[in-house]
Amino acid sequence: MRHAQGGGLTDAERTARERIRLQAVERFEGGEKNREIAAALRVSERSVERWRRAWRERGEVGVQSKGSPGRAPTPAPARPGSPGWSGSWSTARSSTAGRTSGGHWRG
């Protein structure tokens, strides 16, 4: 099954994929060729080539999982009365909230 950048994998599947990459590293260190490693681990030769390049450039860290893809969640803004709330609504704004341009209350 093919997933772009590991997307759609559970943590267990991501761990299993990382285990395969680390097995490939052991084989790199043993001097095996990419084709042999790909066949033994049942992955594409292209994947082994990418892993070997990452391993050569950054060592074992280069082939480790980078975690779940996607944008990191952004924190929700603080709400009135919650920790982190500065209480900085201006009085000008709060005193005119709900009024129409003629000074009457909406309702």
Side-chain angles (χ1 to χ4, degrees):
M1 184 170 3
R2 186 172 188 176
H3 300 281
Q5 291 95 31
L9 295 180
T10 65
D11 287 339
E13 290 168 328
R14 198 172 297 108
T15 300
R17 182 178 280 186
E18 185 168 352
R19 198 173 313 120
I20 290 171
R21 289 192 301 261
L22 294 176
Q23 288 173 4
V25 167
E26 291 174 6
R27 292 168 181 264
F28 299 155
E29 293 169 343
E32 288 186 47
K33 297 191 183 296
N34 290 351
R35 181 171 293 169
E36 296 167 354
I37 296 170
L41 299 179
R42 299 177 57 180
V43 297
S44 72
E45 196 170 339
R46 177 71 180 120
S47 290
V48 175
E49 290 168 4
R50 284 193 314 269
W51 300 340
R52 186 183 293 269
R53 187 177 323 110
W55 172 71
R56 260 195 316 253
E57 292 171 0
R58 296 182 300 278
E60 193 173 304
V61 172
V63 297
Q64 291 177 345
S65 175
K66 291 164 185 60
S68 181
R71 189 170 65 181
T74 55
R79 294 188 173 149
S82 68
W85 170 248
S86 64
S88 63
W89 277 351
S90 69
T91 46
R93 178 174 176 170
S94 61
S95 66
T96 59
R99 292 183 187 227
T100 64
S101 59
H104 301 289
W105 287 99
R106 285 185 238 159

